[in-house]
Amino acid sequence: MKIEVLTLFPNMFACLNESVIGRALENEKFTLNVTDIREYSTDKHKKCDDYPFGGGSGMVMTPQPIFDAIAAVDPNRDCKRIFLSPKGKTLSQPLVEQLSSEENLLFLCGHYEGVDQRVIDSEIDLELSIGDYVLTGGELACMVAIDAIARYIDGVLGSSESTNEESFSNGLLEYPQYTRPQNFRGMTVPEVLLSGNHGEIDKWRYNEQIRITKEKRPDLLEEK
């Protein structure tokens, strides 16, 4: 998979070079290209924002640099183009899996009060939100989306089963996890996990998923 990112703040994406995603990039499991929109501004001061028509607070990103940046990195419209926005479709596990099947993705990160609507109407395939709250820009939301999607790319995680036994993989939250030592400060691991009886372990884990989902996210049970 090839991922293109358009942003006014490319240095923010340095954190993706760490941990699991960083190793995947290093091993070329997917590619990530981050482009500074400001480089495409024709303004002599490289200005990329202006006051909104009709008045109002804040500034709006102007269309020219964005249009030209998109044309430069995706001239043949090979990418599914995504704009990070609180008005967008909420990111969910099914949507993550769907997006992970795309060969090419382009993320546009807005900033300030947003981007000129003509960019969205003409160039964007999907508006995407990571939750019902507002951030200072789309960069953090973009990194969340990339992290979630990349986990489904072959070879990114150590085991292909890692995405099959986690929260939301079957519509439920994940069961509790334990590791050594068996007894830590008087807190012990459930005996069933030490039994070696995989049938009983699977049954315990499923029951724990139901219990935890009912306690923390009962809305997920209502959807089943």
Side-chain angles (χ1 to χ4, degrees), residues 10-217:
N11 291 340
M12 291 182 67
F13 288 84
C15 65
L16 291 180
N17 292 319
E18 302 294 331
S19 188
V20 174
I21 303 302
R23 288 195 298 272
L25 289 171
E26 185 177 348
N27 294 325
E28 299 181 346
K29 301 303 180 183
F30 71 103
T31 61
L32 174 65
N33 301 312
V34 181
T35 297
D36 187 347
I37 296 170
R38 201 174 301 278
E39 294 180 0
Y40 291 89
S41 175
T42 57
D43 180 83
K44 65 179 180 179
H45 301 297
K46 296 298 182 183
K47 185 178 179 183
C48 292
D49 62 321
D50 212 329
Y51 295 103
F53 282 120
S57 62
M59 306 289 277
V60 176
M61 289 177 65
T62 53
Q64 177 271 314
I66 301 174
F67 269 84
D68 287 357
I70 291 174
V73 303
D74 187 29
N76 300 317
R77 202 154 190 150
D78 295 322
C79 296
K80 186 175 186 68
R81 299 173 175 181
I82 300 168
F83 174 57
L84 286 309
S85 166
K87 294 185 291 185
K89 184 175 183 179
T90 303
L91 187 66
S92 63
Q93 205 64 26
L95 182 54
V96 165
E97 294 183 45
Q98 179 185 328
L99 292 174
S100 72
S101 67
E102 298 283 343
E103 289 187 13
N104 305 292
L105 295 174
L106 183 151
F107 289 95
L108 171 62
C109 303
H111 222 82
Y112 313 121
E113 291 300 311
V115 306
D116 189 295
Q117 184 64 35
R118 289 167 290 188
V119 172
I120 299 169
D121 293 342
S122 174
E123 302 297 316
I124 298 302
D125 301 315
L126 172 68
E127 290 188 71
L128 184 66
S129 168
I130 63 167
D132 295 337
Y133 47 87
V134 179
L135 301 171
T136 56
E139 286 77 14
L140 291 174
C142 180
M143 285 183 266
V144 167
I146 290 173
D147 186 285
I149 292 166
R151 298 175 73 257
Y152 281 85
I153 298 173
D154 287 344
V156 170
L157 298 182
S159 169
S160 61
E161 297 180 356
S162 296
T163 55
N164 296 330
E165 298 181 354
E166 59 187 7
S167 291
F168 309 112
S169 60
N170 62 352
L172 301 171
L173 300 183
E174 190 178 16
Y175 49 78
Q177 299 276 14
Y178 298 89
T179 187
R180 294 177 177 80
Q182 179 182 342
N183 186 318
F184 180 72
R185 298 182 178 179
M187 296 177 284
T188 59
V189 176
E191 287 295 327
V192 65
L193 299 179
L194 310 174
S195 67
N197 187 326
H198 294 292
E200 287 301 311
I201 290 172
D202 289 343
K203 181 178 178 181
W204 178 86
R205 285 175 168 171
Y206 179 73
N207 287 337
E208 284 296 293
Q209 284 189 283
I210 295 292
R211 178 186 66 79
I212 291 170
T213 304
K214 185 181 296 185
E215 177 184 316
K216 298 180 183 294
R217 289 290 303 277

